[in-house]
Amino acid sequence: MEEMGLPRAFMNIKLAEDDRRDFRLMVLKKYKELECVEGVGEFKTVFEHVVRAHHWVWTTSGVLHRDISTGNIMFYRDADGRVVGVLCDWDLAGEQLSDAEYQADDDRIFRIHPVPKEGPTTTIDPQGHGVPTMKQDGTPQTIKGPGQTIPEERPLRPRYPTGTGPFIALDKLSEDKPPLHRYRHELESFFFLLSYVCAVFDPERHQFGPFSAWERGSLHDIAAAKSFFYMSDDSFKSSFDRSHEDFGSLVGEWVTPLWRLFSRAALKRYEIDSLRRLRDMHASKGSDRMVAKFDVEIGLLVTAWRKAITYEAFMDCLGLPVHLPTDPTCPSCGVSVPWCSRQTYY
């Protein structure tokens, strides 16, 4: 620090030997903020790059970003002056969960398979050794010795919404039963970001204007505004009344096809919730036959709803190819990453 003339070196701070610190300097490529793009063409390139890069990280590493926002999308120019999009700030990133955990989450939210309220069903190891087993609610426990049950510690999966309000997926804004974070939530965040940019970005002044409907202090109010955005043609169209001429054209080219995709998915969710209320009404009356019927119908709708939002569908709405000749291959099966059969889309 002394050699570099940093202020701390001249503050006469004496550190204990076990509190010594190493000074490290990182030299990184300088990126530019998203607002610095020169026109709609450069923005489209940056947006395509980050969507593809984000998908590659998910398919190869099983990691989700969890904070897609205008502040975390940047770019630089290569030696030929071409823009290259970069998705930054992975501080809130988290690993993709297992299919079983996601299925259990659906069951919890939609109560497709009611969870028994009685105690767990377990097995006992006659030798008295610890036996890992599972409660009926999916919580792990260990049977240690005859008749002795010791719950195992297991970190809780965060269910609160992470991210920046205007770009958080509608599902994640639920105050009742927010779901575990999934890949489709990130695609929805990309859609909201695209809509936001087209609605309020001024490419001449290189700045974003206000989008008051999505920039509220209450997540509940943001959720209501986004629901209206999905369900009302007038609300959708009026959101782009102040769009810059250059970005107004992108509303018809990219935003509208994606809006239809996500609106249909939102309608499926509302249909599921309606059927769930009917099922609960029959359950309160003790009509097991009707409850079973609704469970089957809800289960089928949930499966269709989960699979409605995929990378393939998203890129199709943008009119872009899913697979590029330069795409890497899956390290497990050798197939091009976007088409790898090992990936499950949520």
Side-chain angles (χ1 to χ4, degrees), residues 12 31 33-34 55 134 153 189 194 206 234 251 257 274 287 295:
N12 198 30
Y31 300 142
E33 293 86 356
L34 184 60
H55 178 255
M134 198 74 70
E153 292 295 327
S189 290
L194 172 65
H206 294 283
D234 290 339
V251 174
S274 297
S287 178
D295 274 343

Side-chain angles (χ1 to χ4, degrees), residues 195-228:
S195 301
Y196 177 89
V197 171
C198 288
V200 302
F201 182 55
D202 184 342
E204 296 172 2
R205 301 174 65 184
H206 294 283
Q207 65 182 31
F208 296 112
F211 198 155
S212 57
W214 295 359
E215 295 175 323
R216 303 184 183 183
S218 163
L219 293 181
H220 174 78
D221 291 343
I222 296 175
K226 287 183 175 180
S227 295
F228 201 47

Side-chain angles (χ1 to χ4, degrees), residues 102-144:
Y102 284 130
Q103 182 61 58
D105 192 46
D106 282 343
D107 293 349
R108 177 189 64 86
I109 295 172
F110 301 110
R111 298 197 297 278
I112 302 171
H113 307 293
V115 177
K117 295 182 179 179
E118 299 302 322
T121 300
T122 60
T123 56
I124 304 297
D125 176 12
Q127 273 70 44
H129 300 300
V131 181
T133 184
M134 198 74 70
K135 295 181 184 178
Q136 291 179 348
D137 65 358
T139 305
Q141 63 179 6
T142 297
I143 303 302
K144 190 173 182 180

Side-chain angles (χ1 to χ4, degrees), residues 136-209:
Q136 291 179 348
D137 65 358
T139 305
Q141 63 179 6
T142 297
I143 303 302
K144 190 173 182 180
Q148 185 181 7
T149 300
I150 302 176
E152 286 187 356
E153 292 295 327
R154 179 180 181 180
L156 296 176
R157 302 295 187 181
R159 299 183 183 279
Y160 51 83
T162 59
T164 308
F167 315 113
I168 298 175
L170 181 56
D171 256 9
K172 299 292 290 182
L173 296 172
S174 170
E175 294 181 342
D176 180 25
K177 296 180 176 180
L180 294 172
H181 199 75
R182 308 188 187 203
Y183 177 73
R184 59 178 167 81
H185 294 135
E186 311 249 296
L187 288 180
E188 190 172 3
S189 290
F190 277 122
F191 165 64
F192 284 137
L193 182 143
L194 172 65
S195 301
Y196 177 89
V197 171
C198 288
V200 302
F201 182 55
D202 184 342
E204 296 172 2
R205 301 174 65 184
H206 294 283
Q207 65 182 31
F208 296 112

Side-chain angles (χ1 to χ4, degrees), residues 56-101:
W56 182 83
V57 172
W58 177 62
T59 53
T60 58
S61 306
V63 172
L64 296 172
H65 186 277
R66 294 167 61 88
D67 188 18
I68 306 297
S69 67
T70 51
N72 290 336
I73 293 179
M74 306 182 79
F75 72 95
Y76 66 92
R77 301 184 189 279
D78 64 15
D80 297 322
R82 294 171 298 192
V83 295
V84 179
V86 180
L87 183 58
C88 304
D89 194 358
W90 291 74
D91 291 355
L92 296 177
E95 291 184 348
Q96 175 182 295
L97 308 182
S98 67
D99 289 0
E101 286 177 292

Side-chain angles (χ1 to χ4, degrees), residues 216-256:
R216 303 184 183 183
S218 163
L219 293 181
H220 174 78
D221 291 343
I222 296 175
K226 287 183 175 180
S227 295
F228 201 47
F229 177 78
Y230 277 150
M231 296 298 107
S232 167
D233 286 359
D234 290 339
S235 176
F236 170 73
K237 293 174 182 176
S238 65
S239 298
F240 304 99
D241 285 345
R242 295 182 291 110
S243 293
H244 188 276
E245 180 181 358
D246 293 347
F247 281 80
S249 61
L250 196 55
V251 174
E253 183 184 356
W254 276 9
V255 178
T256 300

